[in-house]
Amino acid sequence: MSAISVGQAVVLGAVEGVTEFLPVSSTGHLKITEGLMGIPVDDNAVVGFSAVIQVGAIAAVLVYFFKDIVRIVSAWGRGLVNRDERHHHDYKFAWWVICATIPIVAVGLAAKPLIEGPLASLWVVAASLIVGSGVMWAADQMGRHKRGEDDTSFKDAMLVGSSQILALLFPGFSRSGATMSTALILDLDRVTATRLSFFLGIPALTGAGLYELKDALGAGVGVAPLAVGTAVSFVVAYASIAWLLKFVAKHSFDAFVIYRIVVGVLLFGLLGAGVLN
């Protein structure tokens, strides 16, 4: 019998799609939802399922930014065979994304027992939601929002990419929140920070999903729940991406900061009252 039913997969896929790219922590919301549905959040099958359905959200990024991705990959391919093409920003950017993914891959493999064990606690999620809110608010206030996408550098990509480790180790901190906050501290504008977060998430989340697929299936998650959860995640994430890019063009991150604090406090309350464990 599957560790997660098709009905539960629909709910979890929708939660993943809505929250993956919003700076509110998809992992945190998935664990909260799993806890409310009575699903053990630290079960290997459940951890694997959460990683696999992220692929649906990443597929939404690939479709939404298809023209940009084709342009960047094409520039990278031309640069590999033609030295004259290597001065283009897109060629450099492709290499930056590859290099910026290495730190999170290394930490993810080295710290896998911790990530799937003690750090999978809902107490960690609650604390990370609140602490991450403070970081995001400070970053939004500190940042001068004066640099655009063409102004990004290798240093920017490495710092933003490495910040994903915070979300990996502390579910609830939010991968999007960590990367966007770091980009804002580096004075990138909000739209550029958001787009950079999307592009850096493609290799990291795709790799995590493919890596966890065999473990999710082997630990007791059926093919049908995985397929349904991934499909729902794709549809909902596509709509979420479109909304977020429009939102950050005109608004600060204050609404996300307030929301995260409220959720974190409520989660502490539910844990303290014994409603969740």
Side-chain angles (χ1 to χ4, degrees):
M1 185 174 181
S2 176
I4 295 176
S5 69
V6 172
Q8 291 171 330
V10 171
V11 175
L12 294 174
V15 171
E16 164 64 24
V18 170
T19 60
E20 179 59 56
F21 300 110
L22 301 185
V24 296
S25 176
S26 62
T27 302
H29 280 74
L30 283 172
K31 290 186 180 299
I32 292 170
T33 305
E34 289 161 1
L36 291 173
M37 291 194 296
I39 301 172
V41 299
D42 57 351
D43 183 272
N44 287 339
V46 177
V47 173
F49 174 86
S50 299
V52 171
I53 63 173
Q54 288 177 338
V55 176
I58 288 300
V61 172
L62 295 176
V63 173
Y64 193 91
F65 292 106
F66 182 73
K67 291 182 179 179
D68 294 299
I69 293 170
V70 169
R71 187 190 75 242
I72 292 169
V73 172
S74 297
W76 182 68
R78 291 194 303 271
L80 290 177
V81 298
N82 187 343
R83 184 183 298 272
D84 294 335
E85 297 288 336
R86 296 175 187 174
H87 67 280
H88 288 298
H89 184 269
D90 287 339
Y91 170 78
K92 297 175 183 177
F93 185 78
W95 274 116
W96 297 346
V97 170
I98 293 171
C99 292
T101 303
I102 294 174
I104 191 173
V105 172
V107 173
L109 292 175
K112 194 172 187 290
L114 285 174
I115 295 167
E116 295 182 352
L119 294 178
S121 165
L122 287 175
W123 290 99
V124 175
V125 171
S128 299
L129 278 167
I130 295 173
V131 172
S133 299
V135 173
M136 187 183 302
W137 179 83
D140 207 12
Q141 298 299 311
M142 292 168 54
R144 290 178 286 178
H145 316 295
K146 66 176 185 177
R147 300 171 57 206
E149 197 164 328
D150 291 337
D151 299 319
T152 55
S153 66
F154 175 70
K155 176 183 176 183
D156 296 328
M158 289 302 297
L159 289 173
V160 174
S162 296
S163 70
Q164 297 178 107
I165 294 171
L166 288 171
L168 183 67
L169 296 178
F170 306 106
F173 202 96
S174 169
R175 190 201 64 82
S176 296
T179 52
M180 290 178 191
S181 295
T182 303
L184 290 174
I185 292 172
L186 295 170
D187 293 330
L188 296 176
D189 62 56
R190 294 188 184 98
V191 173
T192 299
T194 304
R195 284 172 58 88
L196 183 58
S197 176
F198 287 150
F199 287 124
L200 287 171
I202 292 173
L205 296 178
T206 301
L210 295 177
Y211 180 80
E212 294 285 356
L213 179 59
K214 59 178 175 54
D215 291 337
L217 290 171
V221 178
V223 174
L226 280 172
V228 170
T230 303
V232 172
S233 172
F234 168 81
V235 174
V236 178
Y238 189 91
S240 178
I241 293 167
W243 177 84
L244 180 60
L245 286 171
K246 292 179 181 178
F247 180 85
V248 298
K250 299 179 180 179
H251 301 85
S252 71
F253 288 113
D254 288 352
F256 297 119
V257 170
I258 295 170
Y259 173 79
R260 288 169 57 104
I261 292 173
V262 170
V263 173
V265 171
L266 285 175
L267 181 54
F268 269 130
L270 291 172
L271 290 168
V275 177
L276 294 175
N277 56 56

